[in-house]
């Protein structure tokens, strides 16, 4: 039986540590502040934004909320981002994606000052990660590394396989594992023989966006399996990209869905905001 990697417990521990840090910053007269911008009324986005605000409140981070109408012009959004970039009391800026189709997402991401890019999506943040310089890292892959480290999984020298090459999960995930001295292979939808590669993995990170696709036939005995996927199955129950019932008996450690990678994303966002405050003071 595999050991469960408990993302709920680990993310709670991180939030408690951040709460203490923010409280001692407050005593020193320093306030941490995140600006969250939502354009339009996408339901899922509203839930995500609300969860981020709640996490800020819990930790003691001031959150500024900007809920703009669907028909907001790109220039208006860019002008708001410009103002927040200039505002020294704002440490982090987050634009909830997706933005409405008439707004160019890349232009929005690039408008955020890299020092305040707490989502880690700005090309400068991605470039810094790829050449080993300091910068913000996309929250979900950063959460995966935190899960591994806090569960006592050594990454150095391990065969790490990432399935998925998206800009927000797969690619930064591969770069982070490389930074931790793993031997990293990235698979994607054009990989010729997926199983042949995934069966080599000591650490297998699955971020493909296909419900329960990865069963035991893809997994080496004793591998650590991290499931980034989130879906609802035919019974409306949450599930991941990994077929948990099939893989769990083969793996040495595994993340459940829910309660694995999911709760780590917000915890790492909060961590980035607190780090931003520190970086902006020096
Ligand atoms: P995406 O759709 O942008 O990318 C999916 C990747 O998987 C692509 O690179 C594609 O090449 C690869 N892929 C697709 N089918 C494949 C196949 N049959 N074989 C091999 N590779 C294949 O998705 P994403 O944004 O990277 O998200 C991946 C999953 O993670 C989704 O389920 C998403 O909901 C979830 N997610 C979770 C969090 C979280 O906080 N836990 C955050 C972001 C995404």
């Amino acid at each position: 039986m595999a050991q469960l990697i408990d993302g709920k417990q680990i993310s709670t521990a991180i939030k408690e540590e951040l709460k203490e840090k923010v409280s001692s910053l407050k005593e020193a007269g320093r306030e941490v502040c995140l600006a969250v911008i939502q354009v339009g009324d996408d339901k899922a986005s509203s839930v995500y934004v609300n969860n981020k605000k709640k996490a800020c409140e819990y930790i003691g981070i001031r959150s500024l909320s900007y809920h703009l109408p669907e028909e907001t012009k790109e220039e208006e959004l860019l002008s708001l981002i410009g103002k927040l970039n200039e505002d020294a009391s704002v440490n982090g800026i987050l634009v909830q994606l997706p933005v409405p189709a008439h707004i160019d997402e890349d232009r929005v991401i690039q408008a955020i000052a890299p020092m305040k890019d707490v989502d880690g999506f700005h090309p400068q943040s991605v470039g810094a990660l790829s050449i080993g310089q300091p910068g913000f890292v996309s929250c979900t892959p950063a959460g995966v590394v935190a899960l591994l480290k806090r569960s006592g999984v050594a990454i150095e020298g391990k065969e790490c396989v990432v399935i998925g090459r998206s800009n927000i999960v797969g690619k930064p995930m591969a770069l982070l594992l490389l930074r931790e001295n793993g031997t990293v292979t990235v698979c994607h939808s054009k990989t010729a023989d997926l199983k042949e590669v995934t069966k080599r993995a000591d650490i297998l990170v699955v971020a493909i966006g296909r419900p329960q696709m990865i069963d035991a036939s893809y997994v080496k005995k004793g591998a650590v399996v991290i499931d980034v996927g989130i879906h609802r199955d035919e019974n409306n129950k949450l599930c991941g990209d990994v077929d948990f019932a099939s893989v769990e008996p083969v793996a040495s450690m595994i993340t459940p869905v829910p309660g694995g990678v999911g709760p780590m994303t917000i915890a790492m966002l909060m961590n980035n905001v607190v780090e931003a405050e520190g970086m902006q003071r020096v």
Side-chain angles (χ1 to χ4, degrees):
M1 249 182 69
Q3 184 189 325
L4 278 191
I5 297 179
D6 188 341
K8 233 175 147 187
Q9 192 185 62
I10 294 172
S11 65
T12 302
I14 291 173
K15 285 195 269 186
E16 290 306 323
E17 290 161 19
L18 289 171
K19 196 174 177 179
E20 263 181 45
K21 203 165 173 184
V22 167
S23 148
S24 52
L25 286 173
K26 260 189 198 147
E27 279 168 23
R30 290 160 59 179
E31 188 174 48
V32 183
C33 173
L34 171 69
V36 181
I37 306 172
Q38 182 183 358
V39 187
D41 293 307
D42 179 76
K43 263 202 180 143
S45 289
S46 299
V47 172
Y48 295 140
V49 163
N50 212 21
N51 288 342
K52 287 167 190 174
K53 283 192 224 158
K54 273 201 237 156
C56 282
E57 203 177 313
Y58 181 75
I59 290 167
I61 295 173
R62 185 161 75 105
S63 70
L64 302 176
S65 176
Y66 298 88
H67 192 171
L68 310 179
E70 180 83 23
E71 59 276 10
T72 300
K73 292 200 180 77
E74 186 177 298
E75 306 85 78
E76 293 173 294
L77 176 57
L78 295 180
S79 148
L80 171 61
I81 294 171
K83 277 191 202 129
L84 296 169
N85 281 340
E86 295 301 315
D87 185 341
S89 71
V90 173
N91 306 113
I93 302 169
L94 182 151
V95 179
Q96 185 64 47
L97 301 177
V99 284
H102 65 277
I103 296 176
D104 183 333
E105 190 172 289
D106 285 339
R107 228 175 277 156
V108 170
I109 290 172
Q110 286 174 35
I112 298 171
M115 288 285 276
K116 300 190 176 186
D117 173 38
V118 287
D119 254 340
F121 295 163
H122 192 288
Q124 189 171 312
S125 306
V126 180
L129 173 62
S130 70
I131 58 172
Q133 286 185 357
F136 293 110
V137 177
S138 178
C139 301
T140 301
V144 170
V145 169
L147 274 183
L148 290 169
K149 286 188 169 175
R150 287 180 182 241
S151 305
V153 178
I155 301 170
E156 184 163 315
K158 295 284 173 60
E159 285 283 346
C160 304
V161 175
V162 179
I163 324 181
R165 59 172 164 182
S166 71
N167 289 340
I168 61 162
V169 187
K171 280 185 200 146
M173 187 72 252
L175 289 168
L176 273 178
L177 292 167
L178 189 60
R179 188 167 85 177
E180 298 296 330
N181 296 320
T183 300
V184 183
T185 309
V186 182
C187 300
H188 46 79
S189 54
K190 306 283 186 243
T191 297
D193 187 348
L194 188 59
K195 282 185 189 177
E196 187 268 323
V197 184
T198 59
K199 285 206 90 141
R200 295 203 301 257
D202 301 313
I203 299 173
L204 179 63
V205 181
V206 187
I208 44 183
R210 299 197 184 270
Q212 299 177 313
M213 182 181 131
I214 299 303
D215 63 19
S217 66
Y218 290 83
V219 180
K220 179 170 85 175
K221 189 157 178 49
V224 174
V225 179
I226 305 290
D227 188 354
V228 181
I230 312 177
H231 314 275
R232 290 212 175 259
D233 69 10
E234 59 277 9
N235 304 316
N236 206 31
K237 258 186 73 187
L238 285 173
C239 69
D241 290 344
V242 172
D243 179 347
F244 186 89
S246 163
V247 172
E248 190 269 342
V250 180
S252 63
M253 296 172 99
I254 187 167
T255 56
V257 178
V261 175
M264 294 298 290
T265 301
I266 287 193
M268 299 321 284
L269 171 69
M270 298 295 116
N271 186 59
N272 279 353
V273 179
V274 176
E275 272 188 8
E277 195 274 344
M279 277 163 60
Q280 287 155 24
R281 282 188 70 87
V282 287

